[in-house]
Amino acid sequence: MSAQEIRNYTMNFGPQHPAAHGVLRLVLEMDGETVVRADPHIGLLHRGTEKLAESKPFNQSIGYMDRLDYVSMMCNEHAYVRAIETLLGIEAPLRAQYIRTMFDEITRILNHLMWVGSNALDLGAMAVFLYAFREREELMDCYEAVSGARMHATYYRPGGVYRDLPGKMSQYRESPWHKGKDLKRLNAWREGSMLDFLDAFTADFSKKVDEYEELLTENRIWKQRTVGIGVVSPEMAQQWGMTGVMLRGSGIAWDLRKKQPYAKYADVDFDIPVGVNGDCYDRYLVRIEEMRQSNRIIKQCADWLRANPGPVMVENFKVAPPRREAMKEDMEALIHHFKLFTEGYGVPAGETYCAVEAPKGEFGCYLVSDGANKPFRVHLRAPGFAHLSSMDVLVRGHMLADAVAVIGTYDLVFGEVDR
């Protein structure tokens, strides 16, 4: 055996390692502390989502989309619902489009808060995780207010959204943990409607982002762990099919919300932050700035929604369920409700690809219908799967600890990778 073969050894990184994000098994060939080769093994969370979606009526698979990237729930729904609407030839009402735009950006902030907290934790910073979850709790309450669920909302529906924004937010009640003045402070934003709550949140959120930056942006240890690590050149980003922050962090201003606008992104004002060096640090800065831009969009959508009431579902009873009041009085409405949610509806034969700018990159749905009430083919384009394929190139020559920073900067969620 040569000296090189004797010196190198193979080790498993994950899937049980906390920085492996649950279900990534990385087989690393090491020369001491230096990574010589990285072989990502996936499939430990395989769910068969695409095949499950092909076995059920179109409207029964929306909930599966939430469970793909389970940190970017409504953005996943948006791509699937848009694909169905394209084949049906329908468009959601204006108010529903603004609600979708607003919740896509709420979801983006939720995702980036999870990312900045967990990535900082991966690299040894504890406090940011606790700070980020403070704001996540507020926005999770918005998810719960419109859908009844804090994560898997199934709020977007073909033709619009499940229901309009509530006129009242839930409030904290007195408990051993919340008493007196503390309770009053916690409920200060919750006295009015959801739009009032979001006005208060958006006015306050930029100061919270400043707090994250105060802890990290000029932190010497943070910069030592991220500057110059996992550098992706613009050419490499394009060759590996990168999208989202992985692409914009390398200086390419590609964002579907600007380049191929959907929902109401063409009517709101925001900027696309881009990086310069394409390293982990630049991608951190891009995500921080994206949270600020999402905050701007939420504020604009909330202002428009306050001034423009209207329907949030098409008046097309092929896809829209009857009103609950009608079901109490009309047997036909009740039968229609049951048929819609058990048998669904036929979608004209054809194929389409609809993509959204999800927080992690381009999330797309390729949908084929043969005219039946369930898809003939569903294929989902998950950004994490494309990014993971470049792992070997990015970590070669880095130290083992730097591999953790690279995994973190991908912002991987394996529900979509192992779909």
Side-chain angles (χ1 to χ4, degrees):
M1 297 176 81
S2 69
Q4 180 71 23
E5 288 173 321
I6 295 169
R7 189 166 67 248
N8 286 3
Y9 63 94
T10 302
M11 68 172 287
N12 264 323
F13 182 92
Q16 76 290 338
H17 193 285
H21 291 239
V23 279
L24 169 63
R25 178 185 177 218
L26 207 58
V27 180
L28 299 174
E29 184 183 337
M30 306 293 297
D31 178 4
E33 277 286 303
T34 304
V35 180
V36 177
R37 182 171 175 273
D39 183 13
H41 285 221
I42 64 170
L44 293 118
L45 190 67
H46 180 58
R47 291 170 169 174
T49 301
E50 293 167 342
K51 286 301 166 193
L52 282 169
E54 290 166 16
S55 69
K56 297 183 182 303
F58 285 90
N59 58 346
Q60 288 187 18
S61 295
I62 301 170
Y64 284 122
M65 303 302 130
D66 291 301
R67 290 158 175 82
L68 290 164
D69 176 359
Y70 39 79
V71 192
S72 309
M73 297 73 68
M74 289 198 197
C75 289
N76 303 342
E77 293 177 20
H78 204 165
Y80 180 67
V81 164
R82 281 187 66 218
I84 296 172
E85 288 174 345
T86 302
L87 291 179
L88 283 171
I90 62 175
E91 191 173 76
L94 199 56
R95 185 172 174 83
Q97 299 275 13
Y98 270 96
I99 290 173
R100 287 181 181 181
T101 305
M102 184 173 77
F103 268 97
D104 276 11
E105 296 311 307
I106 288 173
T107 304
R108 195 175 313 280
I109 292 178
L110 285 170
N111 181 93
H112 288 350
L113 286 174
M114 172 65 87
W115 176 83
V116 76
S118 61
N119 195 35
L121 201 61
D122 286 349
L123 303 187
M126 181 75 192
V128 191
F129 188 80
L130 303 174
Y131 278 48
F133 267 70
R134 177 186 58 191
E135 277 67 68
R136 268 181 66 83
E137 283 301 303
E138 304 285 6
L139 291 179
M140 280 295 187
D141 286 348
C142 293
Y143 258 56
E144 187 175 7
V146 294
S147 71
R150 291 174 65 79
M151 282 185 67
H152 305 313
T154 323
Y155 179 55
Y156 296 2
R157 307 288 171 89
V161 294
Y162 164 52
R163 62 177 179 183
D164 207 345
L165 304 179
K168 188 169 176 58
M169 286 292 287
S170 60
Q171 295 194 347
Y172 289 99
R173 297 177 184 176
E174 188 151 337
S175 71
W177 299 275
H178 303 308
K179 289 185 177 180
K181 288 184 179 179
D182 181 49
L183 192 66
K184 191 172 182 180
R185 178 184 61 80
L186 289 169
N187 286 331
W189 295 357
R190 299 163 181 271
E191 300 296 335
S193 67
M194 176 186 281
L195 293 176
D196 295 330
F197 176 84
L198 286 170
D199 281 344
F201 178 87
T202 52
D204 182 68
F205 184 62
S206 59
K207 289 181 283 187
K208 297 297 193 289
V209 179
D210 291 342
E211 290 181 12
Y212 314 147
E213 289 216 68
E214 194 176 334
L215 288 165
L216 293 179
T217 302
E218 294 302 327
N219 184 304
R220 178 169 54 88
I221 301 171
W222 178 255
K223 293 182 81 169
Q224 285 172 340
R225 293 299 310 272
T226 56
V227 173
I229 304 300
V231 175
V232 178
S233 67
E235 297 74 26
M236 178 185 172
Q238 291 175 310
Q239 288 164 358
W240 285 97
M242 292 180 179
T243 54
V245 175
M246 292 297 296
L247 183 64
R248 293 191 288 275
S250 299
I252 300 175
W254 178 263
D255 190 314
L256 293 178
R257 297 173 295 169
K258 288 279 191 184
K259 304 297 184 183
Q260 299 172 10
Y262 54 94
K264 281 295 154 189
Y265 282 111
D267 299 323
V268 292
D269 183 37
F270 66 101
D271 301 318
I272 304 174
V274 294
V276 178
N277 303 311
D279 57 9
C280 289
Y281 186 69
D282 270 17
R283 291 189 282 273
Y284 153 75
L285 292 175
V286 168
R287 287 187 172 101
I288 288 290
E289 182 56 30
E290 280 196 1
M291 286 197 280
R292 297 186 189 276
Q293 297 301 323
S294 293
N295 199 45
R296 284 177 63 193
I297 296 171
I298 293 167
K299 175 62 176 164
Q300 292 171 65
C301 290
D303 290 344
W304 189 95
L305 289 164
R306 190 185 299 281
N308 296 275
V312 296
M313 194 70 180
V314 292
E315 291 291 325
N316 179 341
F317 294 109
K318 179 179 181 179
V319 296
R323 297 181 64 82
R324 288 184 179 274
E325 297 82 11
M327 286 192 287
K328 293 175 182 177
E329 301 171 0
D330 186 352
M331 182 57 75
E332 282 189 22
L334 189 62
I335 294 169
H336 172 215
H337 171 86
F338 283 118
K339 284 182 72 68
L340 180 65
F341 286 104
T342 56
E343 296 179 18
Y345 38 78
V347 170
E351 60 183 329
T352 187
Y353 175 77
C354 286
V356 299
E357 188 64 41
K360 293 175 173 61
E362 180 181 327
F363 181 87
C365 177
Y366 172 65
L367 191 64
V368 181
S369 172
D370 58 1
N373 69 332
K374 57 186 72 170
F376 176 76
R377 181 75 176 96
V378 176
H379 178 67
L380 302 164
R381 195 270 179 202
F385 182 78
H387 295 158
L388 192 59
S389 59
S390 66
M391 175 69 73
D392 181 40
V393 180
L394 253 64
V395 301
R396 280 194 186 193
H398 283 307
M399 307 292 276
L400 175 60
D402 296 331
V404 175
V406 171
I407 293 170
T409 200
Y410 280 145
D411 194 8
L412 294 168
V413 161
F414 278 83
E416 67 171 17
V417 174
D418 294 342
R419 67 204 177 281

